[in-house]
Amino acid sequence: MKAFTYERAQSAAAAVKAAAETPGARFIAGGTNLLDLMKLEIEQPQHLIDVGRLPMAAIEDGADGALRIGGAASNSHVAADARVRARYPVLSEAIVAGGSPQLRNKASVAGNLLQRTRCAYFYDTSKPCNKRQPGAGCGALEGLNRNAAIFGASHACIATHTSDMAVALAALDARVETLTPSGEARSFPILELHRLPGERPELETHLIPGELITAVVLPPPPNGGQVYRKVRDRASYAGGLVSVAVVGGQLALGMVALKPWRAAEAEGALAAGATPAEAIAKELDGASPLGRNDFKISLVARLAAAAIGEGRAQ
Amino acid sequence: MPGPRWNDSEGARQGAAASQRHAEFSIWVPAFAGMSGFLGEEPPFVRPRRLGRDGLRTTINVNGAARSLDLDPRTTLLDALREHLKLTGAKKGCDHGQCGACTVLVNGVRINSCLSLAVMHDGDEVISIEGVGAVEKLHPVQQAFLKWDAFQCGYCTPGQICSTLGMLAEIEAGVPSQETPPGGKPVLSDAELRERMSGNICRCSAYPQIVAAIKDAAEQMA
């Protein structure tokens, strides 16, 4: 691990100020993904600003029936919250489908959103990766790309976003609240957080450098059933191959793109009276599989149709 | 009077060269600074300790006692326990949060101590396997692991036992897993137990005995 300096932030305002003033600074809360990558020297921050103890771990009821989840809340804490389990079961189910209990106990909500891809070519520093080293090329394009994206990929990057939690948040129309380096609070839909790779896969979000995610806000849940389903190589503690979150008529897919993928085509078809299978087929018309990951097409088709049916039966 | 034999021009030149070498060397290793008589051999290569940063004073309550350490910020909680406090019960398996051998309880919650910086735990209460039970009076979970032969090599066992303690507390607190029915309270079924212990790998594959030991211990503790 490369040397770095460390400070424990005294407030969110002090944290963003320190981030703006210190070259190579990164926030750390749980650290379960960042430290893993620092050990591999894929991440080499010069300075860590610990925001894990800031008073932003609370889960609070909003005035308008919303639920506000602090960015520093642990994944376990959110999954176990009685309000989350009662009103947003899809979120609780998605969280416990990811990582191990030890990781969920430490990992924060904000860190979960900002976790980096598990693409093997990103992790293997002896292989080219445009995300890790812009301009180096993408080893996955012609390589072992069984778990690559089928939506929104580019010739520069075919990696996927691997968060389970983010898929549920996308289906729930969650909003992200942040504090900018200049101390301004802003809020935007979660679908505007992550970028697709395009020509610049090293740029992963639309956050301003040094901007801190302070909370995730869930609007009141829409009518209808909620379901999270994930398919992976092992029964537990494995990254997903594909996943699907159903919230009433809202549908998001996981591990199929470099961001949680809101299936707008399928939603539109469902609203127009299509069957679940017809609706998801319409979404998959826009998919671009690469050969080794062709199986994701039929897997998503079956999984999403089953999950929609399950949601309707609730 | 002839001068000393070594004080010829050749000797002086060698001496000067050696002094310069030592001067450069002493920048990194202060102990060598006064050793001006060190001639004739190249100094051993020592990697410069270029931390360039002061150690951070960190106080952690470990197994009931406050321990203060001056730490390089890179030190993981696991390394602080093993290398600085010589508590080698928590094991370094993968060092990447995949195997669970490093599991300890921090403020009563199980985490992977390899994926956490020690300086992040200033003020925390940490329980490692050394703080669980005593040689004369084992904790019921330790006793059950012995009774059911829930290990072969034993390397993962400290992590399995600390993880068990955290897991039982999580069930008590109603933390769900993917085996918990939506909205329901978790119960210690085999499926729940296996799912909740999936962050602890046993290379000897003693899983059936681990499941039996945990169920036995949980009954004794109820």
Side-chain angles (χ1 to χ4, degrees):
Chain A
M1 207 188 298
K2 300 284 189 198
F4 56 86
T5 48
Y6 169 91
E7 71 176 293
R8 198 180 271 192
Q10 299 302 309
S11 67
V16 292
K17 187 164 179 287
E21 289 169 354
T22 321
R26 290 289 303 270
F27 298 121
I28 188 167
T32 52
N33 187 226
L34 183 58
L35 286 169
D36 183 27
L37 293 168
M38 284 168 66
K39 287 180 181 194
L40 299 166
E41 299 192 350
I42 294 167
E43 291 271 11
Q44 300 184 3
Q46 292 166 266
H47 184 65
L48 288 184
I49 302 165
D50 189 348
V51 295
R53 308 263 180 150
L54 292 179
M56 21 179 246
I59 303 176
E60 300 159 315
D61 283 307
D64 46 0
L67 192 67
R68 186 176 184 279
I69 299 169
S74 77
N75 286 202
S76 294
H77 184 50
V78 177
D81 185 89
R83 292 158 294 184
V84 172
R85 290 190 73 194
R87 285 152 57 193
Y88 308 98
V90 66
L91 177 57
S92 183
E93 287 170 31
I95 290 173
V96 298
S100 70
Q102 286 98 317
L103 293 174
R104 298 195 293 267
N105 284 345
K106 197 81 183 69
S108 69
V109 166
N112 184 316
L113 290 177
L114 298 180
Q115 68 178 290
R116 307 197 66 189
T117 184
R118 300 304 194 283
C119 176
Y121 294 86
F122 174 69
Y123 262 78
D124 185 345
T125 52
S126 71
K127 301 287 190 297
C129 171
N130 287 318
K131 184 181 275 298
R132 177 162 35 74
Q133 195 187 343
C138 171
L141 269 180
E142 303 289 325
L144 299 172
N145 53 26
R146 167 175 175 263
N147 207 359
I150 55 172
F151 291 109
S154 73
H155 68 278
C157 182
I158 57 173
T160 59
H161 196 262
T162 42
S163 168
D164 290 283
M165 184 190 80
V167 184
L169 292 178
L172 285 165
D173 273 332
R175 292 181 73 82
V176 177
E177 290 187 354
T178 67
L179 198 60
T180 68
S182 56
E184 230 176 293
R186 68 179 187 120
S187 162
F188 50 86
I190 189 160
L191 290 176
E192 292 174 17
L193 174 63
H194 299 102
R195 292 173 186 249
L196 288 173
E199 298 295 320
R200 302 285 304 277
E202 76 279 14
L203 300 176
E204 298 182 347
T205 70
H206 290 287
L207 294 176
I208 303 161
E211 187 169 8
L212 179 70
I213 295 179
T214 52
V216 167
V217 179
L218 308 178
N223 292 330
Q226 295 185 22
V227 178
Y228 188 74
R229 295 278 296 272
K230 174 183 183 180
V231 176
R232 53 193 145 174
D233 288 331
R234 294 192 300 262
S236 179
Y237 195 15
L241 295 170
V242 302
S243 79
V244 57
V246 175
V247 176
Q250 295 161 201
L251 186 69
L253 305 174
M255 299 100 201
V256 294
L258 201 45
K259 60 185 290 183
W261 191 262
R262 188 69 182 262
E265 294 288 332
E267 287 177 11
L270 281 175
T275 66
E278 289 165 353
I280 193 65
K282 201 145 173 50
E283 187 72 34
L284 287 164
D285 281 348
S288 309
L290 299 150
R292 285 193 170 92
N293 65 352
D294 287 359
F295 73 96
K296 287 194 175 188
I297 302 290
S298 52
L299 194 53
V300 166
R302 293 174 190 172
L303 190 71
I308 294 165
E310 207 179 310
R312 285 177 174 175
Q314 280 180 1
Chain B
M1 295 278 283
R5 276 180 61 92
W6 48 265
N7 197 14
D8 59 9
S9 60
E10 177 64 14
R13 210 165 56 239
Q14 285 180 357
S19 295
Q20 196 185 350
R21 219 166 44 225
H22 295 150
E24 287 166 3
F25 197 53
S26 68
I27 293 170
W28 305 114
V29 187
F32 279 78
M35 299 175 71
S36 55
F38 185 78
L39 291 172
E41 257 181 69
E42 288 292 326
F45 179 72
V46 176
R47 279 186 77 86
R49 294 187 70 246
R50 281 196 303 172
L51 298 180
R53 273 113 181 167
D54 294 323
L56 290 176
R57 173 48 64 113
T58 302
T59 302
I60 306 173
N61 186 304
V62 180
N63 299 329
R67 308 293 296 266
S68 289
L69 298 167
D70 287 322
L71 296 172
D72 181 314
R74 285 174 288 188
T75 314
T76 61
L77 177 59
L78 177 63
D79 284 341
L81 292 171
R82 290 182 57 84
E83 309 296 335
H84 294 260
L85 298 174
K86 306 299 177 196
L87 295 169
T88 54
K91 296 292 185 279
K92 186 180 281 190
C94 68
D95 209 24
H96 285 276
Q98 296 166 2
C99 76
C102 67
T103 302
V104 300
L105 300 167
V106 174
N107 303 328
V109 175
R110 57 177 166 161
I111 67 162
N112 298 118
S113 63
C114 74
L115 279 189
S116 209
L117 296 172
V119 292
M120 293 162 71
H121 293 287
D122 188 60
D124 280 347
E125 291 189 7
V126 174
I127 300 286
S128 66
I129 191 66
E130 290 88 347
V132 179
V135 176
E136 320 78 58
K137 193 177 185 335
L138 292 178
H139 187 282
V141 175
Q142 291 168 318
Q143 197 65 58
F145 268 63
L146 278 177
K147 177 181 162 190
W148 290 93
D149 204 12
F151 44 78
Q152 191 178 130
C153 79
Y155 194 81
C156 73
T157 311
Q160 298 278 4
I161 289 174
C162 286
S163 191
T164 299
L165 295 173
M167 186 265 293
L168 293 175
E170 286 161 16
I171 287 189
E172 187 73 25
V175 177
S177 84
Q178 62 179 11
E179 294 298 328
T180 312
K185 262 188 85 66
V187 292
L188 195 61
S189 63
D190 281 19
E192 276 278 13
L193 200 158
R194 287 174 180 278
E195 162 58 25
R196 287 167 185 272
M197 293 297 289
S198 70
N200 291 83
I201 310 297
C202 173
R203 189 65 182 78
C204 308
S205 226
Y207 299 112
Q209 294 92 327
I210 292 171
V211 170
I214 293 174
K215 285 168 72 176
D216 190 355
E219 271 175 36
Q220 311 238 351
M221 291 163 69

